[in-house]
Amino acid sequence: MSGAMKVGAVVITMGNRPDELRALLKSVAEQEGDPIEVVVVGNGAPVPDVPEGVRTIELPENLGIPGGRNVGIEAFGPAGRDVDILLFLDDDGLLARTDTAELCRKAFAEDDRLGIISFRIADPDTGLTQRRHVPRLRASDPMRSSRVTTFLGGANAVRTKVFTEVGTLPDDFFYAHEETDLAWRALDAGWMIDYRADMVLHHPTTAPSRHAVYHRMVARNRVWLARRNLPAVLVPVYLGSWLLLTLLRRPSRPALKAWFGGFKEGWTTPCGPRRPMKWRTVWRLTRLGRPPVI
């Protein structure tokens, strides 16, 4: 049954990592099982030379990470319905094993409520996985696979039925927390999410703050995330805990100024449709180790 599941892959690029992109595409082409159809989206930039058979789309402007990935999803038909599974891979990543696609097919075939798989990201030189790349609170052992409540945006596989049922990524987020928004909607619809330590994407160790918009976007989108998805009584609890955590981390004055600017923007700008999750979903998140107040 797993062999019958058709797999596609979406890669977005700014066109500035041509060698890494070609290496990633080579690692996708080398996957065991049926060939994977790949779409590379140039997010406001030309797509570098890619191997024959790889489809490309060049957008006239940068739509952000979720916007670019949504264009890639639609390249496989409405909500990606032309394939059963879509891989989302960072353009400077590299699939470490040749059986990752087959492992995905097997996992989705064996569990019909599994909607999303989050891969383990490891540094190609050291083999280490950063704590922030393990999508759960108990992140000390990255080699332990488990059910989780969110996933990593540039190293994952999604059953396309999830997009059909709950929609795609929130375009307006541009960068940060778009994965959690989709994860919460998927969990609310009854889908499950797994973190799999044996599905590995090699990726250089980086800091998220390398993005100039990091502090503002993280704060704004955190507010949008809560306003869109949480029961009203949990919104101030969730955002209050993140405000406290941010202050405890003692960011620099410019970073804190950007963060508070984004926090204010999150309250004063439209967040998109509000669909608060069911209380049973709150309980499911809690049982999975991450109640939606942390």
Side-chain angles (χ1 to χ4, degrees):
M1 181 173 9
S2 65
M5 301 190 83
K6 189 173 181 181
V7 180
V10 173
V11 180
I12 60 173
T13 183
M14 298 295 293
N16 56 351
R17 293 188 282 237
D19 294 339
E20 292 89 339
L21 175 61
R22 282 189 287 271
L24 168 67
L25 296 176
K26 183 174 183 290
S27 74
V28 174
E30 291 172 347
Q31 291 298 298
E32 299 163 16
D34 292 339
I36 298 171
E37 184 179 351
V38 182
V39 170
V40 177
V41 179
N43 214 354
V47 176
D49 290 338
V50 296
E52 184 178 353
V54 174
R55 284 197 286 159
T56 62
I57 300 171
E58 294 186 353
L59 302 177
E61 62 178 311
N62 183 356
L63 300 182
I65 293 174
R69 287 186 177 140
N70 284 342
V71 169
I73 293 169
E74 295 300 313
F76 290 92
R81 68 184 181 190
D82 293 347
V83 293
D84 302 295
I85 302 164
L86 275 176
L87 309 180
F88 295 87
L89 306 168
D90 276 352
D91 68 341
D92 56 345
L94 183 78
L95 290 173
R97 296 168 46 157
T98 60
D99 64 347
T100 300
E102 281 290 87
L103 289 173
C104 287
R105 291 185 180 102
K106 184 173 186 290
F108 284 120
E110 291 179 347
D111 184 351
D112 61 6
R113 295 315 299 165
L114 178 61
I116 302 171
I117 299 173
S118 188
F119 299 169
R120 180 168 63 89
I121 294 179
D123 185 275
D125 297 322
T126 66
L128 296 178
T129 296
Q130 292 179 272
R131 187 181 182 91
R132 68 184 182 88
H133 283 153
V134 182
R136 59 178 179 240
L137 289 180
R138 297 184 181 125
S140 59
D141 182 9
M143 301 306 294
R144 178 174 66 88
S145 299
S146 69
R147 283 266 150 98
V148 289
T149 62
T150 188
F151 63 99
L152 305 173
N156 68 80
V158 181
R159 190 193 298 266
T160 54
K161 286 182 180 178
V162 172
F163 298 131
T164 301
E165 189 168 340
V166 307
T168 54
L169 297 158
D171 285 346
D172 290 343
F173 277 43
F174 197 84
Y175 165 80
H177 302 319
E178 67 272 5
E179 302 93 350
T180 302
D181 186 88
L182 176 62
W184 282 2
R185 285 183 281 129
L187 289 164
D188 198 48
W191 295 101
M192 302 304 291
I193 305 169
D194 279 355
Y195 166 74
R196 288 284 297 263
D198 57 337
M199 301 181 188
V200 182
L201 184 83
H202 279 164
H203 189 282
T205 298
T206 56
S209 54
R210 71 189 187 280
H211 298 289
V213 296
Y214 173 76
H215 296 287
R216 172 177 153 255
M217 292 293 190
V218 162
R220 184 197 69 180
N221 292 357
R222 183 79 70 182
V223 177
W224 281 359
L225 178 70
R227 289 174 59 199
R228 285 163 58 95
N229 295 288
L230 291 181
V233 68
L234 293 184
V235 172
V237 181
Y238 176 79
L239 294 176
S241 69
W242 278 103
L243 172 60
L244 178 60
L245 182 60
T246 299
L247 294 174
L248 289 174
R249 288 172 173 168
R250 302 178 68 180
S252 67
R253 184 179 293 272
L256 194 59
K257 182 179 179 181
W259 193 95
F260 274 109
F263 193 78
K264 179 181 178 182
E265 185 180 350
W267 286 108
T268 58
T269 55
C271 64
R274 173 167 166 76
R275 299 187 182 95
M277 67 178 63
K278 307 174 190 72
W279 281 103
R280 69 185 181 196
T281 305
V282 173
W283 175 236
R284 181 182 297 123
L285 288 163
T286 302
R287 285 191 292 111
L288 289 170
R290 189 144 199 169
V293 294
I294 302 175

